Amino acid sequence: MARMTPSEAREVLRHCKVNLHVDFHALDSDKVQALVAAADREGYRKPKNANGSRARSYHARLVRLAEREDI
């Protein structure tokens, strides 16, 4: 899995129609399914010690990256 840039993370969120500032638990099921599909395409696996679902972990990763500034 290649490193994702902040702009790529914002693009994935935009493609999944997920607002950066919306909590994961407030997302519709279709948006969660879009995140799962994006995680599948990327080959994302949640860390073994992570709490919650793979979709929740992937969303958190995307939000952390998207909030960073591009270099």
Side-chain angles (χ1 to χ4, degrees):
M1 175 169 59
R3 277 222 110 143
M4 184 180 286
T5 65
S7 59
E8 290 171 337
R10 285 189 289 273
E11 183 59 32
V12 170
L13 289 169
R14 194 174 8 257
H15 177 54
C16 294
K17 297 179 174 90
V18 174
N19 187 329
L20 177 64
H21 303 290
V22 173
D23 183 55
F24 174 79
H25 298 290
L27 296 177
D28 297 333
S29 61
D30 59 334
K31 293 179 182 177
V32 173
Q33 290 295 6
L35 284 170
V36 169
D40 288 343
R41 282 191 301 273
E42 187 184 333
Y44 177 79
R45 295 185 306 167
K46 82 173 189 172
K48 291 191 187 297
N49 62 345
N51 293 327
S53 67
R54 184 168 67 112
R56 181 177 166 204
S57 296
Y58 187 62
H59 176 264
R61 176 177 179 257
L62 289 175
V63 168
R64 274 194 312 273
L65 279 170
E67 289 176 340
R68 291 183 188 169
E69 292 292 321
D70 283 320
I71 297 174

